[in-house]
Amino acid sequence: MFKLPVSRATKDSISRNAFATFRFSRCAHLLSFATIEAEEISGSKPAEVLNLVQGKWVGSSNCNTVVDPLNGDSFIKVSEVDETGIQPFVKSLSSCPKHGVHNPFKAPERYLMLGDVSTKAAHMLSLPKVSDFFVRLIQRVSPKSYQQAFAEVYVTQKFLENFCGDQVRFLARSFGVPGNHLGQQSHGFRWPYGPVAIITPFNFPLEIPVLQLMGALYMGNKPILKINGKVSIVMEQMLRLLHTCGLPVEDVDFINSDGKTMNKLLLEANPRMTLFTGSSRVAEKLALDLKGRVKLEDAGFDWKILGPDVHQEDYIAWVCDQDAYACSGQKCSAQSLLFMHENWSKTSLLSKLKDLAGRRKLEDLTIGPVLTVTTDAMLEHTNKLLEIPGSKLLFGGSPLENHSIPSIYGAIKPTAVYVPLEEIMKDKNFELVTKEIFGPFQVITDYKNSQLSVVLDAVERMHSHLTAAVVSNDPLFVQEVIGNSVTGTTYAGLRARTTGAPQNHWFGPAGDPRGAGIGTPEAIKLVWSCHREIIYDVGPVPKDWQIPPST
């Protein structure tokens, strides 16, 4: 048989090409769910976001264009549903009964199915190619450093790992109590609400919606999901991944719309529970419109108190920088107000914090566009604070330079303003000082030993109670602060922070019966199920029983 001579170099080349082809094919298979390539989205090659209703991906005659937060190009086209197009979504949500898609007495095999979906989805997100796809996509629409975007994907993947196998049905664990006589027992069950709604913001476009969505599904609900339109492309792609992992396409509806349209949909479809994460103003409106059938994780003006014991100055400065300025301050847990004990005022903490903030640059997105507050609005707030007697600009307070961020977004350097504690506490100043600025901005003050009660009064007067940090290893100091505060997620000790909540502990506000949690079994059961008591009383009736006198 005739053979064409092939050199060793040619063989090596063929081998390399075959391996490259195999790797490309394997990577393409891993991303078979994706309808876009994250790094190719641009003004010349815009991506499209669809809606999902009754198991079908559908477009819309209305299209909302998303502006690239880094250069102003129109780079994503979102098919938006207007008020005339909500009926399919209303019908889909209304078709789910109050007793849910599954419950302990109905279709229990779905608990197992969702455990399998979680297993497969967790595995998918653990693969570098898939993880990198979502990291890059997050960066395109909600610019943050690679490390911050990766942390979001990592937490999501670990959450899914936590609810693999039997862990979903363990969420519906019941309990029993003996009755008063033979044949009587009472049993408590976790029961779904049935039709529910989930509304989430822009700043964590994967983590928040996935954790809340899966919690809703685990407990037997039928959710409709709405994400901020600027970033909804991330969750659209994640839903496609979940479908490839076995999630039935009819289980979740996904809608893109403006707030007015979504409000109308909620009023017509009348979901049994709505989870809202976002601004306090919208949260309060929804609470009224939906007659209290809501769970809320609203705004967070978050405080940190540095105690009297000074340790690890470099580390504390670094954590303060991360808490205030990572993700350009666009975290509901971001450090908004720093109370420094006078012992810390004598250190070089502030100068180190200034140096750390100065390292942040647009090139690596350690500082970047602010999607909900303009540059002018942030600088105006800064100037108002500087009118308070004794206040001063510690650093920042000016726009970013040499960038193409469009003017509809904000772009300022990491900023800190010092305001004296006694001025903060004045009625005319308190509301201004404690106004949440969802950007790279914080207020810093100091206090004396004798003023701890004043600091605790300030904490008591605040309206938001999401996250806080008590940075001290003095147990009596920590005990005093924790015992006189209410913040739902409080970190205490030398390494205390306000941000970076993982999947392994509760994250949510306290002090409000409407408060929502996220991430843990306790959070899922609280938000996505209610208690149902079933009392079995099967007899027998005593042999000598007779009809008693009327009562």
Side-chain angles (χ1 to χ4, degrees), residues 29-164:
H29 174 68
L30 291 176
L31 295 177
S32 60
F33 66 88
T35 59
I36 59 167
E37 293 185 39
E39 293 178 320
E40 292 188 6
I41 303 173
S42 64
S44 59
K45 193 176 181 181
E48 184 180 10
V49 182
L50 300 178
N51 302 282
L52 176 64
V53 61
Q54 297 174 325
K56 295 180 181 179
W57 289 102
V58 295
S60 170
S61 57
N62 297 312
C63 188
N64 181 39
T65 301
V66 178
V67 174
D68 190 323
L70 292 175
N71 60 31
D73 288 349
S74 299
F75 77 139
I76 300 176
K77 296 179 180 178
V78 181
S79 295
E80 273 206 353
V81 176
D82 61 20
E83 293 185 27
T84 65
I86 65 173
Q87 286 310 311
F89 296 90
V90 172
K91 181 179 179 181
S92 180
L93 204 59
S94 301
S95 68
C96 178
K98 295 175 185 176
H99 55 258
V101 183
H102 65 266
N103 61 53
F105 288 73
K106 172 187 174 183
E109 63 275 6
R110 281 182 51 86
Y111 293 115
L112 305 183
M113 177 270 289
L114 289 166
D116 290 342
V117 171
S118 295
T119 301
K120 294 171 185 175
H123 173 69
M124 287 286 283
L125 285 183
S126 74
L127 302 173
K129 185 72 177 178
V130 179
S131 173
D132 186 70
F133 168 80
F134 281 105
V135 170
R136 298 295 184 185
L137 187 56
I138 290 168
Q139 285 189 295
R140 292 295 288 117
V141 294
S142 183
K144 58 183 80 173
S145 70
Y146 190 94
Q147 292 80 2
Q148 288 287 321
F150 176 77
E152 183 176 346
V153 178
Y154 178 81
V155 166
T156 304
Q157 188 264 333
K158 286 298 178 184
F159 167 85
L160 290 167
E161 278 187 355
N162 287 347
F163 294 97
C164 295

Side-chain angles (χ1 to χ4, degrees), residues 243-315:
H243 292 157
T244 66
C245 293
L247 180 71
V249 291
E250 302 85 3
D251 274 18
V252 181
D253 291 335
F254 176 72
I255 187 171
N256 297 288
S257 71
D258 61 21
K260 184 180 178 183
T261 298
M262 188 63 187
N263 194 258
K264 181 178 176 63
L265 188 157
L266 293 174
L267 292 175
E268 290 197 22
N270 195 30
R272 305 303 299 169
M273 211 287 289
T274 295
L275 178 282
F276 176 79
T277 306
S279 77
S280 295
R281 180 184 61 81
V282 176
E284 293 300 335
K285 173 176 170 48
L286 283 175
L288 288 173
D289 289 349
L290 302 178
K291 298 180 173 61
R293 293 193 302 274
V294 294
K295 287 291 184 182
L296 308 175
E297 190 215 303
D298 55 357
F301 185 88
D302 306 298
W303 50 267
K304 178 183 288 182
I305 298 175
L306 304 185
D309 46 327
V310 176
H311 306 284
Q312 300 289 336
E313 192 178 312
D314 287 345
Y315 180 82

Side-chain angles (χ1 to χ4, degrees), residues 149-260:
F150 176 77
E152 183 176 346
V153 178
Y154 178 81
V155 166
T156 304
Q157 188 264 333
K158 286 298 178 184
F159 167 85
L160 290 167
E161 278 187 355
N162 287 347
F163 294 97
C164 295
D166 288 327
Q167 296 306 313
V168 175
R169 66 167 144 197
F170 288 163
L171 290 170
R173 190 191 306 270
S174 61
F175 63 86
V177 178
N180 293 333
H181 49 255
L182 184 62
Q184 186 185 74
Q185 287 184 338
S186 61
H187 289 262
F189 295 91
R190 299 310 300 178
W191 216 255
Y193 289 105
V196 298
I198 304 169
I199 304 172
T200 64
F202 74 91
N203 54 332
F204 287 92
L206 183 72
E207 181 182 338
I208 295 175
V210 170
L211 270 59
Q212 295 291 15
L213 172 67
M214 297 308 292
L217 290 170
Y218 293 155
M219 300 312 294
N221 301 290
K222 164 67 182 284
I224 182 170
L225 177 64
K226 181 192 181 305
I227 317 294
N228 184 292
K230 295 185 180 76
V231 301
S232 61
I233 192 171
V234 177
M235 201 57 205
E236 188 222 42
Q237 295 298 301
M238 185 63 194
L239 281 171
R240 294 178 187 275
L241 181 149
L242 290 171
H243 292 157
T244 66
C245 293
L247 180 71
V249 291
E250 302 85 3
D251 274 18
V252 181
D253 291 335
F254 176 72
I255 187 171
N256 297 288
S257 71
D258 61 21
K260 184 180 178 183

Side-chain angles (χ1 to χ4, degrees), residues 463-466 485-489 506 508-516:
H463 298 296
S464 301
H465 305 293
L466 182 57
S485 57
V486 71
T487 307
T489 307
W506 165 283
D512 187 337
R514 305 167 303 176

